[in-house]
Amino acid sequence: MHGLAGAQPGDDRLGYDFLIHDGNATYLYEVKASSGNSGEIVLGESEVRRASRLTRGETYYIVYLSHVFHRDRRAITVLPNPFGAPDLAGYELVSTQLRLRFNHG
């Protein structure tokens, strides 16, 4: 994020792109962009970890930017934390992945 006064370098391990403090509240924003409008997002390991382990006063949002390369069709949709309510807060689970490590002799 060069060029922004006071900006810190980014860190993908945090699980969010932007953080805003407002009094006792903290808002975490993860931005996902798409060249189309599939309505589908993929959360990485750090994003899942952060969104599912909020502390008191924290709120996590996903900001979906569709048609990112088409100025006239571009749209922003703010989505709730999928871990913020039972049953993934109205999301549909499209796929699951399980990564395992085993001890082999």
Side-chain angles (χ1 to χ4, degrees):
M1 294 186 12
H2 297 289
L4 295 176
Q8 300 294 320
D11 186 346
D12 284 337
R13 297 171 297 175
L14 296 175
Y16 58 87
D17 293 313
F18 301 97
L19 178 143
I20 298 172
H21 290 291
D22 183 17
N24 292 332
T26 300
Y27 302 96
L28 306 156
Y29 296 91
E30 173 61 28
V31 179
K32 298 294 183 180
S34 175
S35 60
N37 188 18
S38 67
E40 188 172 306
I41 57 172
V42 175
L43 296 180
E45 183 178 338
S46 64
E47 297 154 357
V48 168
R49 183 174 43 253
R50 193 62 180 97
S52 64
R53 297 179 183 160
L54 298 178
T55 61
R56 176 183 246 173
E58 291 183 332
T59 305
Y60 192 96
Y61 293 102
I62 298 169
V63 179
Y64 179 70
L65 179 60
S66 64
H67 302 290
V68 69
F69 299 118
H70 303 283
R71 183 182 318 180
D72 58 331
R73 297 177 67 197
R74 193 174 303 143
I76 297 172
T77 304
V78 179
L79 303 166
N81 181 351
F83 302 100
D87 300 322
L88 292 176
Y91 292 91
E92 177 185 349
L93 185 61
V94 176
S95 69
T96 60
Q97 184 179 38
L98 183 60
R99 182 176 174 178
L100 303 170
R101 176 174 289 144
F102 63 93
N103 187 3
H104 59 295

